Amino acid sequence: MIEFQNVEKYYGDFHALKNINLQITKGEVVVVIGPSGSGKSTMLRCMNALEEITTGVLTVNEVDLHSPSTNLNDVRKNLGMVFQHFNLYPHKTVLDNITLAPIKVLKKSREEAVAKAEELLAKVGMLDKKEAFPSQLSGGQQQRIAIARSLAMEPDVMLFDEPTSALDPEMVGEVLEVMKSLAREDGMTMIVVTHEMGFAREVADRVIFMADGQILEDAEAETFYENP
Ligand code: ADP
Ligand code: ADP
């Protein structure tokens, strides 16, 4: 589903990704860990073409992101991304936050978009807040809405960049529960940058450890914990 072949990424002179080789197949849950500044975010942002790789080959659903014929917007549509900060539209209700892109980009009717949004809100336990504005919600609730908003685009892959790092500790659990259910019940392909080792232990198929722009370890979750 996603393949990096000898990928290098520079920001100017700074070598942010060094010879990345990685294959992620459908249905896998991959957790990426490593110290701050090791290139985890950069790797995720390259996957949905928010950053361009410098050399090597990166394919998503067999589409080469560097090929001139590739429409990056089509690629991005298939990749949902959830960030540390939820970036909801503050002046729109929860329901409007979720239905906006499906109506504009997927050309869904309002009825269809609302029906899907309500289904997703029920899934993340937020249906009773559909008319609320983001400022009326806790950080954990906003992050669950951000996840529902990404899912409304019906992506093949979900990318999570430290989705719980900005939350108060008591709200981390509710967000991780939503992510667990996405992995277990929906079989979603997920790449998750996180420091939550409990989540990794319970849900990950693979754990990737990055340091200094390199993948130092890429192992099945069980193996990883046996050899820390
Ligand atoms: P991580 O997610 O592991 O914390 P990042 O991928 O965010 O790491 O960053 C890796 C390194 O690349 C850091 O040293 C960071 O400062 C640098 N970096 C990230 N984005 C940029 C950018 N747009 N321009 C220059 N340097 C960047
Ligand atoms: P995160 O904590 O999610 O890894 P960062 O704080 O590293 O994020 O980066 C946030 C934003 O700032 C990103 O868009 C990244 O590209 C940019 N950035 C990070 N480091 C640098 C840098 N040294 N120079 C320019 N932009 C940077």
Side-chain angles (χ1 to χ4, degrees), residues 11 14 16 35-42 45 51:
Y11 292 111
F14 182 77
S36 176
S38 58
K40 306 181 300 295
S41 269
T42 298
R45 291 202 306 268
E51 293 286 356

Side-chain angles (χ1 to χ4, degrees), residues 74-88:
D74 287 342
V75 174
R76 290 191 189 108
K77 260 190 253 172
N78 292 320
L79 295 157
M81 182 128 181
V82 173
F83 300 91
Q84 191 170 343
H85 299 283
F86 343 111
N87 307 322
L88 297 173

